[in-house]
Amino acid sequence: MSTAPVGGAGEAVSIPVAGDPTRAPAVRAMFARIATGYDTANAVMSMGIDRAWRKIAIRELGHAARGDVLDLCAGTMDFSGMLKDRAQSLTALDFCQEMLDKGQYKAPNARIVCADAREMPIPDQSFDGAVAGFGIRNVPEPERAVAETLRVLRPGGVFVVVDFFKPTTLLAKLMAGTYNRVVLPLVGGIVSGDASAYRYLAESMAAWTDRAGFEAMCRKAGFAEAKGWELFPPVASIVIARKAP
Ligand SMILES: C[S@@+](CC[C@H](N)C(=O)[O-])C[C@H]1O[C@@H](n2cnc3c(N)ncnc32)[C@H](O)[C@@H]1O
């Protein structure tokens, strides 16, 4: 698989190239490396803004938030933590056990599934809603993860995605550019001690589709509708995709 060698503290580290379709094992290893410092780095870099974005995402789940909910690419389970007292049942799925281990305390009632989003070991029509925070863009062949999400949703189910899509407006390009090139590697690197991982995360945003492209991917996979908007500040966006009733 393609990797980009990155020198750090005299040590050559190989990180995946964002966009490489074979990058899954390296992405998993990278998240395992940063799992311990992930929440601290996130808190410092987002200054809590992500919590407001997550609240909007949960609002958009609507009634589904009270049903059976999937937290896809759950990581350290921030969404699960916010859904734990609301959802009838909660499943947190991620292919990095180390990330899940760090977050499990946030939603002790959640069922933990360590698996690839492209091949979920979950029966058809298991969930009323699914939410994915900042995860899908790391999945190689994201269209497979989208198709799998459609499969595990019940008719009328809703899929809410919050992510850093490729910016399209001038303001978003300026903000995302500064954030990705400066804040993310610098602050993420200092807090986690792994600047290469945060450089990869910044690259993964540039290599990812824009929001309209992701909406089209959802419709192509079979979702009846998919529509979103830019959140504030305009670095992240939300997409809501609905399965036909
Ligand atoms: C940036 S973290 C986001 C975590 C969390 N959802 C949040 O909102 O903070 C991305 C997560 O996606 C997971 N991930 C990436 N590719 C995956 C795949 N193919 N299958 C399952 N999980 C994946 C990673 O292990 C990581 O925990």
Side-chain angles (χ1 to χ4, degrees):
M1 76 164 247
S2 308
T3 55
V6 181
E11 188 190 345
V13 182
S14 281
I15 58 163
V17 171
D20 182 338
T22 64
R23 68 193 186 282
V27 168
R28 184 172 43 225
M30 183 199 77
F31 278 108
R33 277 204 321 271
I34 63 172
T36 299
Y38 183 84
D39 278 351
T40 310
N42 205 24
V44 174
M45 288 184 297
S46 77
M47 295 178 294
I49 291 167
D50 67 308
R51 201 168 163 83
W53 293 339
R54 291 175 200 280
K55 279 187 184 162
I56 294 170
I58 290 172
R59 185 193 73 202
E60 292 302 322
L61 275 175
H63 293 309
R66 304 218 167 266
D68 300 318
V69 183
L70 170 67
D71 181 2
L72 182 63
C73 297
T76 55
M77 295 174 57
D78 276 0
F79 264 125
S80 296
M82 292 173 75
L83 283 159
K84 72 171 193 308
D85 296 326
R86 208 177 300 223
Q88 170 176 281
S89 83
L90 192 55
T91 299
L93 184 143
D94 198 288
F95 72 172
C96 181
Q97 187 65 54
E98 288 84 349
M99 289 286 278
L100 292 166
D101 286 347
K102 291 290 167 203
Q104 201 169 359
Y105 77 93
K106 295 175 194 169
N109 56 340
R111 176 170 66 126
I112 304 287
V113 179
C114 186
D116 197 307
R118 295 171 294 175
E119 219 167 335
M120 300 185 211
I122 287 174
D124 295 355
Q125 301 189 12
S126 294
F127 301 110
D128 302 296
V131 67
F134 316 100
I136 292 270
R137 75 167 188 280
N138 294 292
V139 179
E141 309 166 290
E143 58 285 348
R144 281 181 61 194
V146 170
E148 272 292 84
T149 307
L150 182 74
R151 179 183 68 77
V152 300
L153 280 176
R154 298 189 177 118
V158 57
F159 181 28
V160 180
V161 175
V162 178
D163 216 317
F164 299 114
F165 295 100
K166 188 185 277 187
T168 50
T169 62
L170 184 62
L171 180 62
K173 279 181 191 164
L174 281 172
M175 290 192 71
T178 312
Y179 188 80
N180 293 348
R181 275 196 298 272
V182 184
V183 181
L184 206 58
L186 190 73
V187 182
I190 290 169
V191 177
S192 73
D194 194 336
S196 65
Y198 281 87
R199 220 169 289 137
Y200 165 80
L201 287 175
E203 277 172 24
S204 70
M205 294 175 210
W208 182 215
T209 176
D210 60 16
R211 177 167 49 80
F214 184 70
E215 290 165 359
M217 189 188 294
C218 291
R219 287 191 293 267
K220 193 168 172 208
F223 277 95
E225 52 180 271
K227 196 83 200 99
W229 63 89
E230 216 165 57
L231 294 164
F232 183 83
V235 283
S237 293
I238 187 167
V239 172
I240 296 121
R242 294 182 196 283
K243 184 167 177 171

